[in-house]
Amino acid sequence: MNTHMLWGFAIAAALAYVIPGPDWFVVLRHSSRSRADGLRAALGVQSGLMVHMTVAALGLSAVLLASSQAFTVVKLLGAAYLVFLGVQSLRDAVRGRPAPDTTDRSGRIWAQAFLANVLNPKAALFFVAVLPQFIDPAAGVTLQIVVLGVVDIALGALWWLLFVVITVHLQGLLRRRRARMAIDGTAGIALCGLGGALAFTSRP
């Protein structure tokens, strides 16, 4: 694989992480409560990304994006789930405190972040539309997808670690009631908005 192509992909992947999206608001909401919660959410996001990488390597992402019915089903499920998370966040903002936990906290946080990523067809689109631009068709395509996927996941791990650390350093401010309500409200509106936008995403 060409070194310049590898660096080009790394830059594209880094920019994709920095631009706010559903993952941002899911991780922000949890990391503003505690470092452990933020890391669990980040792990869930990256676990979802590994699913997209594996599916892309197997060639199934292209099939998903080529099928109007399959794309629509995944798109609507993802949109509904983002809106669900947004409504939960808005509910907490109105209450001024998080809703009491009724299930295993670590597992629930991981699952929320995992599903938010897996059910987002735009994440699959990255591996199908962006990643191939950095692949040499004359070489082993599957191996290149895996290599670039590992680079993407490694960059994501560094990004989310930095993201969580910065948020934790601001916890003194973020744990104030008004700040907490503002974060939950902003995250709720953003997730509902992103869910609505996803519902109207056209198949590429």
Side-chain angles (χ1 to χ4, degrees):
M1 184 179 294
N2 187 295
T3 304
H4 295 295
M5 296 287 280
L6 190 59
W7 275 108
F9 174 77
I11 293 172
L15 289 174
Y17 279 110
V18 171
I19 297 173
D23 296 340
W24 254 64
F25 297 101
V26 172
V27 178
L28 173 63
R29 183 165 181 252
H30 292 297
S31 62
S32 62
R33 290 192 169 93
S34 75
R35 178 184 301 170
D37 285 356
L39 292 175
R40 290 184 187 110
L43 180 60
V45 167
Q46 293 306 96
S47 298
L49 201 64
M50 290 181 68
V51 171
H52 286 296
M53 181 191 75
T54 303
V55 169
L58 294 174
L60 298 179
S61 287
V63 174
L64 169 66
L65 293 172
S67 169
S68 176
Q69 292 82 3
F71 181 84
T72 299
V73 169
V74 173
K75 176 185 71 172
L76 293 179
L77 285 174
Y81 189 68
L82 289 178
V83 171
F84 169 74
L85 293 180
V87 170
Q88 277 194 328
S89 190
L90 288 172
R91 181 188 61 188
D92 290 347
V94 171
R95 292 177 175 179
R97 55 182 172 80
D101 292 323
T102 57
T103 58
D104 175 66
R105 183 174 180 80
S106 60
R108 180 174 58 82
I109 292 173
W110 180 90
Q112 282 185 353
F114 176 78
L115 288 174
N117 187 278
V118 167
L119 293 176
N120 184 2
K122 289 186 177 180
L125 181 60
F126 179 84
F127 280 92
V128 174
V130 177
L131 185 144
Q133 309 303 318
F134 301 91
I135 288 178
D136 179 4
V141 173
T142 300
L143 179 59
Q144 290 182 78
I145 290 176
V146 172
V147 170
L148 293 178
V150 169
V151 170
D152 189 6
I153 291 170
L155 287 172
L158 291 174
W159 162 252
W160 291 124
L161 180 61
L162 177 63
F163 188 94
V164 171
V165 167
I166 291 175
T167 307
V168 168
H169 278 296
L170 298 174
Q171 273 188 7
L173 171 65
L174 299 178
R175 283 180 174 173
R176 295 177 183 175
R177 186 172 183 274
R178 288 186 178 180
R180 175 74 263 155
M181 292 173 67
I183 290 174
D184 283 338
T186 301
I189 292 171
L191 288 168
C192 287
L194 289 167
L198 180 60
F200 291 98
T201 298
S202 299
R203 181 169 60 92

